[in-house]
Amino acid sequence: MVDDARLAIDGARIEAELAHLATFTEAPPPAVTRVLWTPIDLAGRAFVRSLLEAEGLAIRTDAIGTIFARWEGTIAALAPVGSGSHVDAIPNAGRYDGCYGVIGAIEAVRALRRTGFVPRRPIEVVIFASEEPTRFGVGCVGSRLMTGALSPDAARQLRDADGVSFEAARAGAGHAGDLESVRLAPGAYAGFVELHIEQGPVLERLGIPVGIVTAIAAPTTLRVTVHGEGGHAGALLMPDRRDALAAAAEVVLAVEAAARASGAADTVATVGQLAVFPGAVNGVPSRVDLSVDARDVDGARRDATVARIRDAMRGVAARRQVGIDVEVVTDDPPATMDPTLVEVLAMAAGEAGVVSHRLPSRAYHDSLFMPRVCPTAMVFVPCRGGVSHRPDEFASEADMAAGVRVLAHALARLAS
Ligand code: GLV
Ligand code: MN
Ligand code: MN
């Protein structure tokens, strides 16, 4: 444990390092696009690694590029306490999602070291590879492999949109070694705490600087293909049509209706991708590929939403005489955060003199999978307007510093 009066968190430095990390982008600033294992992603990770090296931490990189930076404890044999997040960013994103949890964990370690705190347990900063699903269609590939939620064989089957295999892309990024070695040993961590922006509006509306996450919602992700019949937009008469896009439009509305029908604010469902073939102004669409992302913190209620969506698709297929194929891409159960760690975070907020509020996470994180191997919890800070996955994503220096202060107290408690 540390005396709060001696804990100095450098909010300006956090913001400056996030601003520098945001310069590693494929999209024009302020947008950030950093896709797994691209040269930009590797350069951004090298910058973060340089920050860890400057602290003299012992660094290991696993076979897919997840970075582990260890501050040794006085009893090195004890399982470490972990904290960290991701630095990959979806197309046209902002600079805080994931990156705040990485730079914030580094600043928590630096601030603890400045107080002269000596951990009994090691503390490890973890920078996960591949939290976002952009490249291979599956999110959290790193933490899935680490926790056994995805088998190495299933990872080897993954292909990106250009047909590049997971293994070829991994080799291209310079990562070698068996995928099997990514799996964490049981008891590898005594606990894991991830710091993140809320990505929703709750904390800002309440005017509370720190959230303590109680549960993480999980998506069912579906890949849906609607098969109709194409033809000439002028010559194919309306009674003879089996228009794949008109059918897909009904599917999109059915997805929205299915989520609304749950009656719970925590139920959400989205069609975020839609590809129309052949995509000609004067051609009747013959095929549509679309994605469905349905989420809830309550697994049974999420499954009921997905069942309503599947029912509606069967109805659309029958009425419109189209084929609708559905492939389940991910279907993970939601996670409950460890009750003891949640209490540790509440005590840490008290020590930091910060008001906190308990809430679920409606976005997923690597902390959705870490509970499979260790007690896990999350700290949130507000973001302006609840906006995330957009270039105008913003968190204030003061709120980010408050979140890091709570994290530092929690790490000190867990490592003492
Ligand atoms: C992660 O970014 C998510 O989609 O929740
Ligand atoms: Mn994200
Ligand atoms: Mn994130």
Side-chain angles (χ1 to χ4, degrees):
M1 284 184 274
V2 289
D3 176 5
D4 188 64
R6 298 179 55 211
L7 196 58
I9 310 295
D10 192 341
R13 183 170 180 183
I14 296 170
E15 178 51 43
E17 288 170 349
L18 287 171
H20 188 71
L21 187 49
T23 64
F24 300 96
T25 173
E26 279 163 34
V32 178
T33 298
R34 208 160 39 233
V35 179
L36 180 71
W37 295 337
T38 55
I40 286 286
D41 177 48
L42 298 175
R45 297 174 76 78
F47 165 62
V48 171
R49 198 186 162 102
S50 74
L51 299 179
L52 298 163
E53 279 164 358
E55 286 307 301
L57 304 180
I59 298 176
R60 138 179 122 81
T61 302
D62 75 6
I64 64 167
T66 292
I67 299 170
F68 305 82
R70 188 177 176 106
W71 178 13
E72 204 48 87
T74 51
I75 308 182
L78 290 176
V81 181
S83 181
S85 194
H86 63 98
V87 296
D88 56 333
I90 69 161
N92 209 42
R95 70 167 65 153
Y96 299 92
D97 174 7
C99 299
Y100 166 56
V102 168
I103 301 295
I106 298 172
E107 177 59 15
V109 165
R110 290 189 297 229
L112 285 172
R113 286 158 75 100
R114 288 193 288 267
T115 68
F117 173 77
V118 179
R120 210 165 65 89
R121 265 180 204 290
I123 293 177
E124 266 188 26
V125 178
V126 183
I127 297 112
F128 293 94
S130 192
E131 194 268 352
E132 300 290 6
T134 311
R135 182 148 190 188
F136 291 104
V138 181
C140 301
V141 171
S143 52
R144 283 177 193 272
L145 284 167
M146 285 160 74
T147 61
L150 179 74
S151 71
D153 277 341
R156 285 188 269 265
Q157 302 304 313
L158 296 172
R159 298 271 180 286
D160 71 10
D162 298 326
V164 179
S165 74
F166 188 81
E167 286 301 69
R170 180 167 79 97
H175 300 307
D178 272 356
L179 275 187
E180 279 72 9
S181 67
V182 173
R183 183 80 185 258
L184 291 175
Y189 286 96
F192 183 79
V193 181
E194 181 171 2
L195 183 62
H196 208 282
I197 57 166
E198 182 199 329
Q199 305 183 283
V202 175
L203 295 173
E204 185 184 57
R205 282 183 191 162
L206 293 173
I208 291 180
V210 163
I212 298 174
V213 174
T214 51
I216 303 179
T220 294
T221 314
L222 307 176
R223 201 174 281 140
V224 178
T225 308
V226 182
H227 301 276
E229 195 170 10
H232 193 289
L236 186 54
L237 297 179
M238 299 314 283
D240 299 329
R241 290 206 183 189
R242 294 167 51 233
D243 181 328
L245 180 56
E250 286 201 36
V251 169
V252 173
L253 294 176
V255 167
E256 184 186 50
R260 287 189 194 277
S262 112
D266 288 330
T267 313
V268 290
T270 307
V271 174
Q273 294 173 319
L274 194 102
V276 182
F277 298 91
V281 65
N282 56 352
V284 176
S286 59
R287 194 180 99 217
V288 171
D289 296 328
L290 62 93
S291 61
V292 177
D293 174 310
R295 307 188 187 199
D296 209 311
V297 287
D298 180 320
R301 203 167 53 201
R302 193 257 332 253
D303 293 347
T305 304
V306 174
R308 279 196 292 279
I309 291 170
R310 284 178 173 278
D311 251 16
M313 289 195 290
R314 277 191 286 274
V316 172
R319 229 175 325 104
R320 289 185 166 270
Q321 293 296 295
V322 295
I324 302 185
D325 297 334
V326 181
E327 183 195 340
V328 178
V329 181
T330 62
D331 193 21
D332 308 291
T336 304
M337 299 291 89
D338 181 73
T340 307
L341 268 194
V342 166
E343 290 312 318
V344 168
L345 290 176
M347 285 188 279
E351 285 176 288
V354 171
V355 180
S356 64
H357 173 74
R358 297 184 189 200
L359 77 174
S361 171
R362 297 188 170 88
Y364 64 72
H365 307 278
D366 291 299
S367 291
L368 179 62
F369 297 100
M370 291 305 278
R372 299 178 187 216
V373 293
C374 66
T376 301
M378 291 189 77
V379 176
F380 274 177
V381 300
C383 52
R384 187 175 59 200
V387 163
S388 184
H389 282 185
R390 272 172 36 181
D392 54 340
E393 186 178 75
F394 175 80
S396 76
E397 237 175 75
D399 288 341
M400 289 196 291
V404 172
R405 179 173 293 278
V406 172
L407 175 64
H409 277 293
L411 293 177
R413 275 183 172 268
L414 294 167
S416 290

